[in-house]
Amino acid sequence: MRMSVSLTVNGKPQSLDLDTRTTLLDALREHLKLTGSKKGCDHGQCGACTVIVEGRRINSCLTLAVMHEGDSITTIEGLGNPDDLHPMQAAFVKHDGYQCGYCTPGQICSAVAVLDEMKAGVPSHVTRDLEEKARFSTEELRERMSGNICRCGAYSNIIEAITEVAGKRA
Amino acid sequence: MKFDTPATTNPIDRLKVIGKSTDRIDGPLKTSGLAPYAYERHDVVPGQLYGVILGSAVAKGRIASMNLSAAKAAPGVVDIVTYENAGKIAKSKNHTAHLLGGPVIEHYDQAIAIVVAESFEEARAATKLIRVDYARAKGRYVLADQKGSATPPTASEFGGPPDTAVGDFDTAYADASFKIDATYTTPDQAHVMMEPHATIAAWEGDKLTLWTSNQMIAWAVKDMAETLKIPPAQIRVISPYIGGGFGSKLWVRSDALMAALAARVTGRPVKVALSRPQSINNTTHRPATLQRIRIAAEKDGRITAIGHESWSGDLEGGGPETAVAQTRLMYAGANRMTATRLATLDLPEGNAMRAPGEAPGLMALEIAMDEMAEKLGMDPVAFRIANDTQVDPEKPERPYSQRQLNKCLQMGAEKFGWAKRSATPGKVRDGKWLVGMGVGAAFRNNLLGKSGARVTLDGDGRVTVFTDMTDIGTGSYTIIAQTAAETMGLTLADVDVKLGDSSFPVSCGSGGQWGANNSTAGVYAACMKLREAVAQNLGFNSAETVFEDGSVRAGNRRAKLADAARSGPLTAEDLIEYGDLGKKYQQSTFGAHFVEAAVDAYTGEVRLRRMLAVCAAGRILNPKTARSQVIGAMTMGAGAALMEELAVDKRFGFFVNHDLAGYEVPVHADIPHQDVIFLDETDPISSPMKAKGVGELGICGVGAAVANAIYNACGVRVRDYPITLDKIIGGLAKV
Amino acid sequence: MRAFEYSRATSPAEAAAIVGRTPGARFIAGGTNLLDLMKLEIETPAHLVDINGLGFDRIEETAEGGLRIGALVRNTDLAADKRVRRDYGLLSRALLAGASGQLRNKATTAGNLLQRTRCPYFYDGNQPCNKRKAGSGCAAIGGFSRNHGVVGTSEACIATHPSDMAVAMQALDATVETVQPDGTKRAIPMADFHRLPGDTPQVETALQPGELITAVTLPKPAGGTHIYRKVRDRSSYAFALISVGVVVQADGTGRVALGGVAHRPWRIAAADAALPRGSKAAADILLAGARTTHENAFKLPLVERTLAAALAEAKEAQA
C-alpha cells in the first residue's frame, strides 16, 4: 500500500510517495538520502536514529513516515554543516565526544533537545524534588542522555561537551 | 623501511604535531552526519536493490526442504539466493562456520537465504514467506557440560602453546603456606558496535566492488576471493568509515557474501545490513571461559607459584579464548604453569573481541591477585608491586622493552586517594550506599606487523596519504595526518588522508591495538621516502635536508616544499617491516585501573562513582584520541563487569537476549567521570614512532578493579561475571 | 512487516467502528511498541487506524477532585504535569523510570498500559510461545527465565508485564475509560484491566476487540508519601527486574504494588493492610505461593529488601 505524505525537513518542504510501512528513519535515509540519522537497532533500543520532530526528540525508527503529515523535522544535517557547525556539534569535536561517529548524530540531536527539556522544566528520574524545576547537573545529563547508547564509550566526553554548551547558554 | 635496531633521534621526535592533543580531522563530517558509512552510499552506484538475510531457525541440523514460492511471488521481490543457486562457494580459512549455510546448519541464525527486492520493506516482508523445514540435530551448547571433553588446541600465533610450564609448579604450590585456588567464569559477550554489519555489492563484468564496514581491508579481499573462488585482483573493498568493530569486523561476514551473491544473481547492485538480532547470533562473539587460578606466595608477598588454566568452547575447527596468555608474562614467580583447553560447542562462532584473551583473562587473574593479597594481609597495590618483573619470567634473558607497571600503580594509588581505602571490606557507608575501592593491573601486548602507505606531494604543497588502514573510531585519520605533517614539516591542515580502500597500499589494519603504532610507522616510512624524492628533485643533499614550516633546507639552500612538485606530483610508497626486536624483547603496554564503587545495601545494585586509569604505552601520538580509546575501553570493561552476558538457551543453542534491550551495555547513567593519565614514555624498540598500542589496554584489568571495589564495598566476593545484584544480594546484611 | 492499509480517524466512534468491523485492524498512537512488534511480525495488523488526531491529549480535573488523563497524553507530558507531580508523585516517578526521553515523548498513556511483554522468547519468532502462537508451548519455562514472573504464572506462560506506569496506576486505583465499537462507554478499574496468563496468555487485558481507550482517570489524591523504586541491572533505559510502588501515610498505613513479578501489575489488598507491620509482612503476602526458577529466585528477597528500602525512604521523607 502506498500513500503520499508531506513534511518539512530541515526547513525544506518535502513530498513523498511511500510504502505505508516506511519508517520516518527510512524515509530520511533511503528516500531523502539524509543519512545522518543512523539505524543502530531499528527497535528504539539505541537512540542512533534520534531526530527532533515538532521540537521534541524521538526515535525515528519507531514511527511511520505517514504519521508525520505536516510535521516539521530537524535532523543532524539541519543543525549545522562542517563549515558552520552548531555549537553542540563543535563542542563534540572539541571534547572528542565520539569515536566511530555512528551514534553521534543521535547523541547531538538528543543533547540539543535535552537542554530545551531542562529549560522547559521537564523532570527526570534523578530530579530530587518533583515540585521544583530540575537543576542542571551532570547527573541530570547522564540520566536524560541514557537513551543514546555509545558502544565506543565516549560518555564522559559527551557529558563535558554538553556541559560546555549549557554553560554558554546560561 | 626495515626496523631492526632501536630507533634513534628522528623527525618524529620534534613533536611539533605528534604528541599534541588534536581534534579529529574527521570530526566535522562525523558530527554533522556527513561521514558516509557503508549502507549510506547512494552516490557510488545507481539502481541499488535491497537485500534482507534470513537466518536459520535452528542451531544444528539440516534443511530438509525450503519453499520459496510465496516469497518469490511477493510484491517487489526480484530474486532469492540460497545455497541451491549461489554457485560454487567455499569457506575461507579465517571463517569457522560457512557464511552461507545449507543444507547443513552449523549455528542458529546462520544465513540461509537472501531476499532481494526493490525496497527494504518488500525484502523484509518476503523473508517471512520463506518456508523452511529442518531436521534438527542434537547440539552441544553448555561449556560447563563439555569441560570434560575439552582438548588442547593447536598452538597459535596469538594464543601460544596449550600447555606451558616453568620450574615445578605442583611442588611449589603444595609446599606453600599462603595460597589460593579459585575458579572464575566469564560469559559470552557481544561486540554490538553501533553500526550493524553492512555492505553494498556491485559487479562490473567479473569485477566485484564492496562498500562495506570492515577493520581489515586486505583480509576482506583475501577472504572474499577464497569464498567466491575468484582472484583477489577482481575484488575491491572500500571502507572509509566504520561505525565500530571491536573485532566483529575483522573478517567479512554474511552481509558481504550475501550482497555479492545477490548482486551476481540479479545483475544489479545490492545493499544489505544485518539486523540488530543478527548482529548477535549471525556473527561472532567473545566466548565464555571457565578459569582456575592458583597462586602461592611467601609471607613477604613474593609469588612462588602461579598457575592459570582456562576452558572455552567454539564450533568444530574454531579456536580458544586465550585467557591465560598474560599470566605467562605479567608477574614474577619461579614456578609457573598455564593450560588452555577447547571444547566443541554448537553456538555461533566464537572469535576476537577487544583484547581477546587478556580481557577475560585479567577479569579472573586480577581478582585472584586481590584474593591472594588479602590472604597475605597485604595491600593489593603493594602485592602487585612486589611481584614486578622486568624480564619475561619464562625466559629471563628476554627483557621487557619498557615496563613501568609499578609506576602506574604507584601514581594511580596516589592520585586516586588509595590510602583512604579501608582494608576491611564493608566499612565505608554513605547513606544507603556501601562504598569501596578496587585496583586492577592492565596488561596488553604490543603487536608488530607490516604496514604500507603511499604519499603524494602536489604543486600546492599539500601531502595526501593513501593506505588501506581503517579508522574504526580509533583516530587513525588524525594520527596518520599528524605523522605525515610531522615528517614533512607541515601543519595538519596541509595533509589529506585517504583510508580504507583496497586499491591503496596494504596496511596493518585495525585490531589487537596494533593499528596506531604500525600504521603510522608505515606512513612515516613512506614520508621518509618522499623526503628523499623531494631532496633529489631540488638537488639537495638528502642526508642533511631539514623539512620545516613547509620549507626544505640543506646547508644554506632553501626552497618551498611545493617547489619539489612544481613539474608534477611526487609520489613515494613504502612500508614498515620489522626485524627480530619483537622476539628479543617482550613488548607490552601497562596500566593500573582504580575504581570506586557503591553497592546499595538494600538491593545490591552497583553504581560506579570514580574511575582512573594510569597507562604506560610508549609515545602517545595524540593524547586526546588516545584518552578516548582508554575511556571507551574502560566503559566496555565496566559493562563486562556489571551487566554484559549473552544468555545461552541450553536446549535450543542460541543467545536468547539478541537485541539491545536484552543484551545490556552501559548507558550514560552507568559511567562516571573518567580520568586517564599517560606516563611520559617513549619506546624506541617498538618502532620509529616509539609508540605502542593503547586501544585495548583500557579494557584489560578494569573489570577486576570493579569486582574488587564491590568486594571492598560490601564484602561479597563474586567470581562469576557479570556481577549482577542477584549474586550480591544473598551476601548482604539483613535490612 | 506485513503490508497494511493506513487511515487517520477523525472521531473515537469512527475509530472504534473501523477497528471493530475490519479484520486485523489495530489502533496506532505512539507506536513505540506496536511498530517494534510489527517489524518482527509478532503483530501483523492488516489495517492501522491512526488515532493521534482524536484530541485525547488533555489532563483535566474531575468533579470528584481527581484527574482525567487523555489516552493520548504522552508519557513526558503526564510525568511533567504540575498536578501529577504534586498529588500523584508515584505516577510521575514511575513514568520517569521507564524507557528513554525519546520514547516517553512518543509513548501514550493508553499505549503504555497495552505494552506487551518483553519476554525474549515472545520476541523470537522461531521459538514456541503461547502468547504469540496459542498452543505452541512456552520456551521460557525451562529456558532463560531470569526476568520472568514469580507470582500468578501458569503452565502456559511466565511472562511479566513490562510497564512502570501501570504499577503506579494500579497503586493509585486508576480507572480505564473506553468506548466500544457500538459506541458504548465503560470504565474498567485497573485491578480488572490486566489479566493473569492462565490458559490464554494471548489475552492480556479486559478490552474487547475494537474497544478504544479514551482516558485513564485518577481518584482524588490519596496524600501520603509516594515512592517508586525500580531495580534494574543498568542505571537507566532498562526494564525492571522488579519495581515497588508505595504510598505511605504518616500513620504507616498505605498501599503497595509491584512490577516485574507477574503478568500484570501486582497488588493485593491484604498486603496493603500488612504494610504497617513492615516489609516482610507485606512481601510475604505479595509473594505467597510464588513459583520461581533457578534464575529468578532472587526476585523474592529482592522484593522484600526493595520494599524495605522504599518504606525507609518514606519514613525519612516524613521525618
Side-chain angles (χ1 to χ4, degrees):
Chain A
M1 329 282 166
R2 297 191 77 83
M3 206 170 162
S4 60
V5 62
S6 299
L7 21 80
T8 302
V9 182
N10 300 328
K12 199 173 152 194
Q14 300 279 3
S15 283
L16 294 168
D17 177 50
L18 296 173
D19 187 317
T20 52
R21 292 172 288 188
T22 312
T23 60
L24 178 58
L25 176 62
D26 285 332
L28 293 168
R29 282 170 64 83
E30 304 302 326
H31 297 267
L32 296 174
K33 302 193 171 34
L34 291 168
T35 54
S37 307
K38 303 302 183 194
K39 188 182 281 190
C41 72
D42 216 15
H43 288 271
Q45 300 164 353
C46 78
C49 67
T50 303
V51 299
I52 302 170
V53 176
E54 295 291 304
R56 292 184 156 211
R57 56 176 173 149
I58 66 165
N59 298 118
S60 61
C61 75
L62 280 189
T63 191
L64 297 170
V66 293
M67 294 171 75
H68 292 279
E69 178 65 33
D71 279 356
S72 187
I73 292 147
T74 303
T75 70
I76 189 72
E77 292 94 339
L79 289 178
N81 61 64
D83 298 323
D84 182 21
L85 293 177
H86 182 280
M88 193 64 80
Q89 292 169 320
F92 269 62
V93 174
K94 180 180 164 190
H95 292 275
D96 213 35
Y98 59 99
Q99 291 178 39
C100 80
Y102 201 76
C103 75
T104 312
Q107 300 275 359
I108 292 172
C109 285
S110 211
V112 167
V114 158
L115 295 185
D116 287 341
E117 285 167 18
M118 294 202 69
K119 211 164 147 194
V122 174
S124 88
H125 175 61
V126 298
T127 305
R128 298 256 185 276
D129 185 345
L130 276 181
E131 293 192 56
E132 281 182 14
K133 191 172 165 180
R135 262 177 270 177
F136 185 87
S137 68
T138 52
E139 190 192 10
E140 282 282 358
L141 286 187
R142 284 191 192 113
E143 164 59 24
R144 290 166 192 266
M145 289 298 294
S146 282
N148 291 85
I149 292 176
C150 170
R151 185 59 163 162
C152 294
Y155 295 136
S156 187
N157 291 350
I158 292 170
I159 295 303
E160 280 168 29
I162 304 173
T163 302
E164 179 176 297
V165 175
K168 275 183 186 158
R169 271 190 177 185
Chain B
M1 180 185 285
K2 182 100 182 208
F3 184 76
D4 48 13
T5 52
T8 52
T9 302
N10 66 36
I12 299 296
D13 292 322
R14 291 185 296 188
L15 300 182
K16 289 195 167 170
V17 193
I18 285 287
K20 298 265 190 288
S21 264
T22 303
D23 291 349
R24 287 169 203 260
I25 61 172
D26 47 336
L29 276 182
K30 282 183 172 173
T31 56
S32 57
L34 298 180
Y37 296 81
Y39 197 76
E40 302 166 355
R41 307 299 298 269
H42 294 288
D43 56 319
V44 292
V45 51
Q48 297 169 18
L49 293 170
Y50 291 81
V52 173
I53 291 172
L54 176 70
S56 168
V58 305
K60 194 170 167 66
R62 291 180 69 85
I63 295 173
S65 69
M66 238 174 157
N67 184 340
L68 307 178
S69 54
K72 274 193 170 159
V77 171
V78 177
D79 214 330
I80 298 173
V81 182
T82 71
Y83 72 94
E84 288 182 319
N85 66 339
K88 277 206 169 159
I89 51 172
K91 182 169 76 62
S92 84
K93 282 193 278 298
N94 281 327
H95 292 104
T96 309
H98 292 79
L99 294 178
L100 170 59
V104 175
I105 298 298
E106 295 160 296
H107 64 85
Y108 188 79
D109 222 355
Q110 184 174 25
I112 57 170
I114 181 167
V115 176
V116 188
E118 297 289 343
S119 78
F120 168 65
E121 292 77 18
E122 290 164 334
R124 181 179 55 189
T127 59
K128 298 284 188 185
L129 299 173
I130 296 176
R131 295 284 160 258
V132 188
D133 285 320
Y134 299 92
R136 282 184 196 253
K138 202 165 141 50
R140 294 150 291 186
Y141 307 123
V142 184
L143 177 60
D145 296 350
Q146 301 303 321
K147 188 183 168 200
S149 65
T151 55
T154 46
S156 71
E157 186 191 346
F158 299 125
D163 291 281
T164 67
V166 174
D168 182 353
F169 173 83
D170 288 338
T171 306
Y173 184 78
D175 292 350
S177 40
F178 295 92
K179 54 190 166 188
I180 60 148
D181 178 352
T183 299
Y184 306 86
T185 62
T186 63
D188 297 289
Q189 295 169 349
H191 309 79
V192 290
M193 61 286 142
M194 296 314 298
E195 181 205 20
H197 296 79
T199 300
I200 299 173
W203 291 86
E204 223 185 304
D206 60 1
K207 291 203 163 53
L208 170 67
T209 305
L210 299 170
W211 291 269
T212 189
S213 186
N214 190 282
Q215 300 173 223
M216 301 289 297
I217 302 303
W219 293 3
V221 171
K222 181 174 164 291
D223 290 342
M224 281 303 293
E226 279 179 34
T227 308
L228 292 169
K229 299 186 169 188
I230 62 174
Q234 286 172 213
I235 298 175
R236 184 168 171 202
V237 171
I238 300 174
S239 187
Y241 292 95
I242 297 135
F246 314 115
S248 187
K249 294 172 181 169
L250 285 169
W251 300 280
V252 287
R253 301 302 319 168
S254 62
D255 57 302
L257 176 63
M258 299 307 277
L261 294 174
R264 188 160 68 184
V265 167
T266 59
R268 282 175 63 182
V270 175
K271 61 194 276 187
V272 179
L274 296 190
S275 68
R276 182 50 68 185
Q278 286 172 336
S279 79
I280 305 279
N281 281 294
N282 179 265
T283 73
T284 61
H285 64 281
R286 189 204 297 282
T289 65
L290 296 172
Q291 301 180 50
R292 181 190 188 198
I293 296 178
R294 286 174 289 171
I295 305 175
E298 299 283 355
K299 197 175 184 335
D300 64 3
R302 281 183 307 114
I303 292 174
T304 53
I306 184 163
H308 193 163
E309 299 154 78
S310 174
W311 292 260
S312 63
D314 201 359
L315 290 164
E316 195 82 54
E321 181 71 23
T322 55
V324 306
Q326 72 289 321
T327 308
R328 297 174 60 197
L329 289 161
M330 205 164 157
Y331 294 113
N335 304 290
R336 336 175 53 91
M337 65 81 66
T338 69
T340 303
R341 294 294 179 267
L342 177 63
T344 303
L345 291 178
D346 298 300
L347 292 170
E349 179 174 330
N351 220 317
M353 177 169 152
R354 202 171 198 170
E358 278 95 338
L362 284 162
M363 285 168 81
L365 178 65
E366 288 298 293
I367 295 185
M369 289 296 285
D370 215 57
E371 298 199 71
M372 192 68 221
E374 188 180 33
K375 194 140 247 182
L376 290 160
M378 266 182 98
D379 178 87
V381 172
F383 177 56
R384 287 171 173 86
I385 288 172
N387 287 289
D388 186 48
T389 174
Q390 292 293 314
V391 298
D392 175 349
E394 291 182 1
K395 294 185 192 117
E397 68 282 7
R398 190 168 166 261
Y400 275 98
S401 63
Q402 286 261 7
R403 174 168 162 137
Q404 299 202 71
L405 175 57
N406 281 6
K407 196 169 174 190
C408 293
L409 287 160
Q410 283 155 347
M411 184 183 283
E414 188 193 317
K415 300 276 181 197
F416 202 67
W418 184 254
K420 292 198 192 106
R421 171 182 174 268
S422 160
T424 314
K427 292 292 174 206
V428 181
R429 185 100 188 206
D430 174 13
K432 67 174 184 176
W433 296 100
L434 300 160
V435 184
M437 291 189 216
V439 66
F443 179 96
R444 174 77 174 138
N445 286 336
N446 180 55
L447 303 172
L448 302 174
K450 277 195 289 197
S451 195
R454 184 167 69 237
V455 285
T456 300
L457 172 69
D458 69 20
D460 298 329
R462 293 192 68 78
V463 165
T464 306
V465 182
F466 302 87
T467 163
D468 85 353
M469 180 58 188
T470 50
D471 189 328
I472 61 173
T474 37
S476 308
Y477 276 106
T478 311
I479 56 174
I480 284 172
Q482 287 175 277
T483 303
E486 190 76 77
T487 314
M488 299 309 298
L490 295 170
T491 68
L492 212 52
D494 301 321
V495 179
D496 292 309
V497 180
K498 306 286 179 196
L499 299 183
D501 186 327
S502 61
S503 68
F504 303 157
V506 174
S507 73
C508 58
S510 298
Q513 77 168 13
W514 63 58
N517 181 46
N518 294 302
S519 73
T520 55
V523 170
Y524 169 80
C527 286
M528 290 307 282
K529 226 175 195 178
L530 182 62
R531 285 165 55 123
E532 280 174 33
V534 166
Q536 199 179 9
N537 238 15
L538 296 171
F540 288 14
N541 178 349
S542 68
E544 55 188 54
T545 309
V546 176
F547 290 73
E548 217 167 49
D549 302 327
S551 302
V552 190
R553 262 188 300 115
N556 53 8
R557 298 181 60 192
R558 190 182 187 96
K560 282 186 175 162
L561 181 62
D563 294 344
R566 192 145 287 167
S567 54
L570 274 186
T571 293
E573 181 174 333
D574 201 3
L575 78 166
I576 192 81
E577 295 178 275
Y578 297 91
D580 61 357
L581 290 174
K583 286 207 168 64
K584 276 191 196 156
Y585 295 88
Q586 175 57 36
Q587 298 191 24
S588 305
T589 62
F590 306 90
H593 288 286
F594 291 83
V595 169
E596 185 175 280
V599 178
D600 187 303
Y602 289 94
T603 62
E605 289 162 289
V606 178
R607 298 294 178 255
L608 303 182
R609 293 187 163 194
R610 292 191 294 143
M611 298 180 88
L612 165 69
V614 182
C615 301
R619 171 175 282 151
I620 300 303
L621 303 173
N622 180 349
K624 182 175 272 190
T625 53
R627 180 181 171 280
S628 291
Q629 283 285 287
V630 176
I631 67 167
M634 288 159 74
T635 301
M636 197 177 277
L642 295 174
M643 62 191 80
E644 294 185 30
E645 174 172 20
L646 288 168
V648 178
D649 188 293
K650 296 170 183 172
R651 307 153 304 171
F652 303 127
F654 71 105
F655 299 125
V656 186
N657 49 343
H658 48 56
D659 61 24
L660 283 171
Y663 185 82
E664 291 185 10
V665 299
V667 295
H668 273 279
D670 292 304
I671 302 301
H673 174 76
Q674 295 165 318
D675 283 315
V676 180
I677 298 169
F678 291 109
L679 297 189
D680 190 8
E681 179 180 286
T682 52
D683 191 337
I685 292 166
S686 73
S687 82
M689 303 302 294
K690 304 175 187 174
K692 293 193 276 199
V694 74
E696 297 185 341
L697 181 63
I699 196 175
C700 294
V702 69
V706 171
N708 295 336
I710 291 169
Y711 175 70
N712 185 244
C714 69
V716 182
R717 176 63 81 185
V718 180
R719 300 181 184 86
D720 173 26
Y721 289 100
I723 308 173
T724 45
L725 60 91
D726 45 310
K727 297 168 190 170
I728 295 173
I729 196 169
L732 296 177
K734 278 210 157 71
V735 293
Chain C
M1 191 185 292
R2 292 216 194 135
F4 55 84
E5 295 280 348
Y6 169 88
S7 58
R8 300 184 187 99
T10 52
S11 76
E14 183 207 356
I18 296 175
V19 173
R21 70 166 181 259
T22 315
R26 294 287 305 268
F27 304 115
I28 186 164
T32 52
N33 191 208
L34 183 57
L35 288 169
D36 170 32
L37 294 168
M38 284 169 63
K39 288 180 183 188
L40 299 166
E41 295 201 5
I42 295 165
E43 297 274 10
T44 53
H47 191 136
L48 283 184
V49 179
D50 186 337
I51 56 169
N52 283 295
L54 297 187
F56 302 141
D57 54 0
R58 282 182 301 278
I59 305 172
E60 301 158 325
E61 283 153 40
T62 64
E64 295 75 33
L67 287 181
R68 186 169 186 279
I69 303 155
L72 294 170
V73 172
R74 309 288 154 170
N75 287 178
T76 299
D77 299 317
L78 184 55
D81 184 87
K82 284 217 156 53
R83 295 158 295 186
V84 174
R85 285 157 78 172
R86 185 188 63 216
D87 297 329
Y88 307 94
L90 180 62
L91 178 58
S92 208
R93 287 291 183 200
L95 283 160
L96 295 172
S100 67
Q102 291 96 312
L103 289 164
R104 292 192 297 269
N105 278 340
K106 279 306 276 184
T108 63
T109 307
N112 190 310
L113 291 176
L114 297 176
Q115 277 183 89
R116 306 202 65 193
T117 184
R118 291 283 164 172
C119 171
Y121 295 100
F122 174 70
Y123 264 81
D124 186 332
N126 294 324
Q127 309 307 325
C129 171
N130 290 319
K131 189 183 276 296
R132 188 166 18 79
K133 192 177 173 198
S136 62
C138 173
I141 295 174
F144 173 59
S145 57
R146 180 167 181 264
N147 206 15
H148 286 75
V150 293
V151 285
T153 56
S154 73
E155 296 302 321
C157 181
I158 59 170
T160 57
H161 194 267
S163 168
D164 293 294
M165 185 197 82
V167 176
M169 291 293 195
Q170 182 82 274
L172 294 169
D173 288 332
T175 303
V176 181
E177 292 183 2
T178 69
V179 56
Q180 306 209 46
D182 64 1
T184 322
K185 293 181 180 178
R186 66 169 177 153
I188 311 166
M190 265 301 284
D192 303 329
F193 187 77
H194 292 104
R195 294 164 42 102
L196 288 179
D199 296 333
T200 54
Q202 72 278 17
V203 184
E204 293 166 353
T205 68
L207 293 180
Q208 297 298 312
E211 190 168 6
L212 175 67
I213 299 175
T214 53
V216 178
T217 55
L218 291 170
K220 71 176 188 334
T225 303
H226 292 218
I227 309 278
Y228 186 73
R229 190 69 174 81
K230 179 175 183 176
V231 183
R232 44 190 161 176
D233 287 322
R234 67 181 177 195
S235 308
S236 187
Y237 200 20
F239 294 96
L241 292 169
I242 64 120
S243 67
V244 171
V246 292
V247 177
V248 186
Q249 305 297 338
D251 63 1
T253 62
R255 318 159 177 200
V256 55
L258 305 178
V261 298
H263 198 255
R264 67 177 197 209
W266 196 246
R267 187 174 170 205
I268 294 174
D272 283 4
L275 217 46
R277 289 191 280 122
S279 55
K280 177 155 194 340
D284 282 349
I285 294 167
L286 286 163
L287 301 174
R291 285 198 299 179
T292 60
T293 67
H294 171 68
E295 288 170 341
N296 69 15
F298 74 94
K299 288 191 175 188
L300 304 187
L302 184 59
V303 163
E304 187 193 328
R305 297 179 72 103
T306 308
L307 181 53
L311 294 179
E313 194 181 331
K315 206 167 188 181
E316 207 172 292
Q318 287 161 354

